[in-house]
Amino acid sequence: MGSAGLAQYIKPGDLANRLVCVVSNLKPAKLAGEPSEAMVLAAEAVGPANKLNVYTLIPPEGSQPGDLIHLDGVTPPETYPKVMKPDVWRKVVPGLTVQGGKATFEGTPLLSSQGLVTLPPEVPDGAEIH
């Protein structure tokens, strides 16, 4: 889900002055007529009355814009590809889920140098992250 898809669930003003987690090395594209160079990561969960709720990932306290997110127990690489190939991203997405209030990839928590990437407590385990 990109920001164009996110806009139907979260008002742009709700993101003002908030840090979010993004994938920033996707191929630039136009979404809904607007240039898009990054994707805000968010979890989806069906709530009451079968309403889809969307929650942005929460960077750890003390995070700064540009902090890198990586898997717990894995040293982040020195450099990243300038543009991630779409087939690589398609392989990553199915492994992104919520477990115990944390963003994970195949069960391994995502973190930055400041700590774990989390979600609001109402997001259920197994919720998909896009």
Side-chain angles (χ1 to χ4, degrees):
M1 168 185 344
S3 62
L6 195 62
Q8 58 187 309
Y9 300 102
I10 298 175
K11 298 176 191 136
D14 292 344
L15 297 177
N17 300 314
R18 285 185 48 203
L19 292 179
V20 294
C21 296
V22 301
V23 176
S24 61
N25 62 342
L26 298 174
K27 182 178 177 183
K30 282 204 172 203
L31 298 174
E34 295 291 323
S36 175
E37 297 181 19
M39 181 181 352
V40 176
L41 292 176
E44 300 177 344
V46 177
N50 273 346
K51 179 182 178 227
L52 182 65
N53 295 308
V54 176
Y55 306 87
T56 59
L57 278 58
I58 303 169
E61 187 72 33
S63 292
Q64 298 296 315
D67 283 354
L68 298 177
I69 302 295
H70 59 92
L71 293 174
D72 190 13
V74 176
T75 303
E78 293 289 324
T79 61
Y80 287 86
K82 193 169 190 172
V83 176
M84 184 187 327
K85 294 181 180 180
D87 60 320
V88 171
W89 181 241
R90 280 191 290 274
K91 291 176 184 174
V92 169
V93 170
L96 293 170
T97 60
V98 177
Q99 299 296 324
K102 300 174 202 73
T104 70
F105 175 72
E106 296 181 349
T108 301
L110 302 179
L111 58 94
S112 75
S113 61
Q114 300 298 315
L116 295 168
V117 175
T118 60
L119 288 108
E122 62 269 22
V123 181
D125 282 355
E128 296 176 353
I129 297 172
H130 301 276

